[in-house]
Amino acid sequence: MVVSKTLIRSLCQPVTIASNHLASKEPSKFEQLKTSSNYLREPLASELKNDLPFFTEGAVQILKFHGSYQQDNRDNRLKGQAKDWGMMLRLRSPGGRVPAQLFLALDELANRFGNGSMRVTTRQAFQLHGIPKQDLRTVLSTIVKNLGSTLAACGDINRNVMAPAAPYEGLGYPVARRLADDIADLLAPKAAAGAYLELWVDGEKRYKIRPSIACSKVRKRQQDANLSSGDPAEPLYGSTYMPRKFKVGVTVPGDNSIDLLTQDLGLVAFTDMAGKLRGCNVYVGGGMGRTHNKEETFARTADCLGYVKGSKILDLVQAVVALQRDNGDREQRRHGRMKYLIHDRGIDWFRQELDKGNTVFYLDFEDSVRGIYNRLKTLGADLRHFKSFLYSNPTEALTAGAREALLTKIDEYKPSLIVVDGVNAAMNIMGLDLEKNKDATSFSQEVLRPLRLHNAAIITIDHVTKSKDNRGNYAIGAQAKRADIDGCAVAVEVEIA
């Protein structure tokens, strides 16, 4: 027996708005440089075409994101003479694994174009030194064509992901290595990866990073409203990338060869008897760097964030990156690392901010908290789901002050979904006529449209007429209700067996 029919209206698709905690202040010159670089192309691309043996300061800063620093040979410094310029190149090698083909290519490049040295870094990567500017494209393209990359080995972005170098095939080591690979691919930039290929291998897409299937699925969620930077071309990072460098390490219980607590994000992977990932202990906010004679800078060991199931690890990783992206200090670079954010605001705040993702705000004009609770329980929700469920049950008209307070609360919790149930009851409370287009438009402008500005998908629940013959797909009342939908409308029939 059909007892009711409800029209569920998706008022709007998620609106992605970049977090802008610096809106009241002029962005720093370095932030402006990143924004104007066209996703890390300029002025580097232009200066690669000139005959000068060095890059200017702006190009030097963008060059870092491509894995290179400009240096000069101090042994050859002579007063009044031009500097002996050379480039350092650092590789992106998750877990420190370097294919034999790449190692042989690096060895030849070091001798042919560099100073003959191959240096191993504390982040499990090789560095070449003394590369002349005019040979930089040749060296980089050779690295890429031999299974290597230098993308994001330096700069304000996720750096090389560490994992134990021991080549063990048990005790969780293979899982740690695979997870390091997945995290490196997950946190690789999107638009900047295209710029990297354009600059160094003429845009040949066959050399692009190809994440695993599992990693690709999680990467797609970087477009989600509660995670996106607001920039579709560079969804995770946005045009300004990170406030400072970001470092990740993965290990197994009992192996601290990666110095876990010095990482921005450290993971200890646990596996089951079959060698599959069960979950990870997660640590955040570590870092050893400090500035001499600047007491406000300091080394810090990471805090324990908690245990996360294996199926949620990659989502957690990019959520942590997004949180640092939006809240890290972009005004004072020496204060920009995530360790300072957690030191200043605390691990409890950090944990609460992560939990704000995937929160639902339910604005209920028709039922009661007990009624909604029972309905959701019937649909399969359990207690853990209600930890991310915010409920409001207005019984009086939403005055301007009440609407402002409501929007303040929504802005505080940043829900990814807002449900308005139901439209007719809400309009009645506000003294609006269901049948008048003018009143329907007023309700939309005063209540629904402001909700769109809070980076969430909006669903409104309305009712169709009781007459089955005259029902159609329209809600009760004015046609202006439907005119304001820019998503989709779904008709739901509730049946009792």
Side-chain angles (χ1 to χ4, degrees):
M1 176 179 66
V2 177
V3 295
S4 67
K5 187 170 182 178
T6 302
L7 188 68
I8 299 179
R9 311 185 306 152
S10 175
L11 179 68
C12 69
Q13 298 172 346
V15 180
T16 54
I17 303 173
S19 175
N20 191 12
H21 65 291
L22 297 178
S24 61
K25 297 185 179 181
E26 184 74 15
S28 69
K29 291 183 178 180
F30 195 79
E31 294 297 306
Q32 293 180 51
L33 174 66
K34 289 186 285 185
T35 301
S36 63
S37 69
N38 189 16
Y39 303 108
L40 309 181
R41 289 177 173 85
E42 294 294 348
L44 176 61
S46 297
E47 295 192 17
L48 280 169
K49 299 175 183 178
N50 66 40
D51 295 327
L52 295 174
F54 60 88
F55 294 102
T56 63
E57 179 62 20
V60 166
Q61 297 304 324
I62 298 304
L63 180 65
K64 292 178 181 179
F65 289 86
H66 296 258
S68 180
Y69 279 81
Q70 178 169 274
Q71 301 172 332
D72 74 285
N73 190 333
R74 286 176 288 186
D75 292 336
N76 293 341
R77 287 179 182 175
L78 295 173
K79 189 174 182 179
Q81 300 294 316
K83 291 182 178 180
D84 181 12
W85 296 104
M87 309 301 152
M88 179 276 287
L89 273 177
R90 181 184 297 157
L91 268 69
R92 170 192 184 271
S93 304
R97 294 196 303 283
V98 178
Q101 177 182 337
L102 176 58
F103 180 87
L104 294 174
L106 292 172
D107 186 43
E108 181 180 351
L109 290 170
N111 290 325
R112 183 178 174 187
F113 297 101
N115 63 8
S117 69
M118 289 173 57
R119 305 181 189 181
V120 181
T121 76
T122 55
R123 291 203 69 78
Q124 302 178 306
F126 277 116
Q127 288 183 179
L128 304 183
H129 289 258
I131 308 295
K133 177 192 169 191
Q134 64 267 24
D135 295 323
L136 192 57
R137 194 190 298 269
T138 299
V139 174
L140 261 166
S141 65
T142 303
I143 289 173
V144 172
K145 292 174 182 179
N146 283 276
L147 310 179
S149 177
T150 64
L151 175 63
C154 315
D156 298 344
I157 201 165
N158 178 60
R159 300 290 189 88
N160 197 44
V161 181
M162 299 183 71
Y168 299 137
E169 293 304 316
L171 303 175
Y173 282 90
V175 168
R177 293 193 290 268
R178 285 195 299 271
L179 187 54
D181 283 334
D182 279 343
I183 292 172
D185 293 346
L186 178 73
L187 302 184
K190 183 179 178 181
Y196 182 83
L197 295 180
E198 288 174 18
L199 264 60
W200 310 116
V201 289
D202 298 321
E204 292 189 46
K205 293 185 178 180
R206 58 177 167 160
Y207 298 117
K208 71 178 183 179
I209 296 171
R210 301 184 185 279
S212 67
I213 294 175
C215 180
S216 295
K217 289 181 178 179
V218 178
R219 253 180 90 92
K220 289 180 180 178
R221 293 199 276 274
Q222 293 174 5
Q223 298 282 3
D224 290 355
N226 65 330
L227 190 66
S228 173
S229 67
D231 186 340
E234 195 70 276
L236 182 60
Y237 292 111
S239 61
T240 54
Y241 298 86
M242 298 294 280
R244 284 298 306 276
K245 57 189 174 184
F246 191 87
K247 297 181 177 180
V248 183
V250 185
T251 190
V252 298
D255 188 328
N256 195 31
S257 58
I258 66 164
D259 215 353
L260 181 79
L261 298 183
T262 66
Q263 312 286 339
D264 288 281
L265 175 60
L267 304 174
V268 181
F270 293 89
T271 56
D272 59 20
M273 296 298 292
K276 295 182 179 180
L277 179 64
R278 290 175 52 197
C280 293
N281 282 347
V282 181
Y283 299 84
V284 292
M288 295 298 291
R290 64 183 301 270
T291 303
H292 182 61
N293 282 337
K294 298 293 182 181
E295 294 303 317
E296 67 272 20
T297 67
F298 45 82
R300 186 181 192 275
T301 55
D303 291 320
C304 180
L305 183 68
Y307 176 85
V308 177
K309 290 183 179 180
S311 60
K312 299 295 184 181
I313 283 296
L314 294 182
D315 284 296
L316 180 278
V317 168
Q318 58 187 15
V320 169
V321 169
L323 185 55
Q324 162 65 358
R325 173 199 70 203
D326 293 342
N327 294 277
D329 193 341
R330 292 181 181 268
E331 297 175 36
Q332 298 184 54
R333 286 187 59 78
R334 69 169 67 101
H335 192 253
R337 291 287 298 277
M338 195 170 76
K339 64 181 179 179
Y340 298 115
L341 176 66
I342 295 177
H343 173 80
D344 292 345
R345 301 200 186 184
I347 188 64
D348 290 337
W349 171 87
F350 195 86
R351 190 178 291 114
Q352 290 169 6
E353 289 295 309
L354 288 174
D355 287 341
K356 285 182 181 178
N358 300 318
T359 297
V360 175
F361 192 95
Y362 203 100
L363 189 56
D364 182 19
F365 294 93
E366 287 195 342
D367 207 338
S368 65
V369 63
R370 181 176 294 276
I372 295 299
Y373 175 82
N374 289 334
R375 284 162 61 184
L376 292 174
K377 288 280 288 184
T378 301
L379 291 171
D382 58 32
L383 290 177
R384 64 186 173 88
H385 293 126
F386 289 101
K387 293 180 180 179
S388 299
F389 187 84
L390 306 174
Y391 181 83
S392 180
N393 184 218
T395 57
E396 298 178 353
L398 287 176
T399 63
R403 292 196 299 272
E404 183 178 351
L406 177 66
L407 295 176
T408 299
K409 183 64 67 174
I410 289 173
D411 188 59
E412 176 185 354
Y413 285 95
K414 297 179 175 60
S416 53
L417 175 66
I418 299 174
V419 180
V420 180
D421 182 9
V423 173
N424 290 348
M427 290 181 66
N428 284 330
I429 290 175
M430 297 178 68
L432 300 173
D433 191 333
L434 306 181
E435 301 295 333
K436 293 183 177 179
N437 284 324
K438 181 182 71 172
D439 283 6
T441 300
S442 294
F443 176 77
S444 177
Q445 291 175 340
E446 294 175 15
V447 177
L448 301 180
R449 292 188 182 182
L451 297 177
R452 297 182 179 186
L453 303 178
H454 289 265
N455 206 15
I458 314 297
I459 292 178
T460 61
I461 301 179
D462 210 340
H463 295 280
V464 297
T465 60
K466 293 183 179 180
S467 173
K468 192 170 184 178
D469 295 333
N470 300 323
R471 183 176 292 162
N473 292 320
Y474 293 90
I476 295 172
Q479 292 185 1
K481 287 182 177 182
R482 187 177 180 88
D484 204 37
I485 301 173
D486 65 2
C488 65
V490 179
V492 177
E493 290 188 351
V494 180
E495 297 185 359
I496 298 177

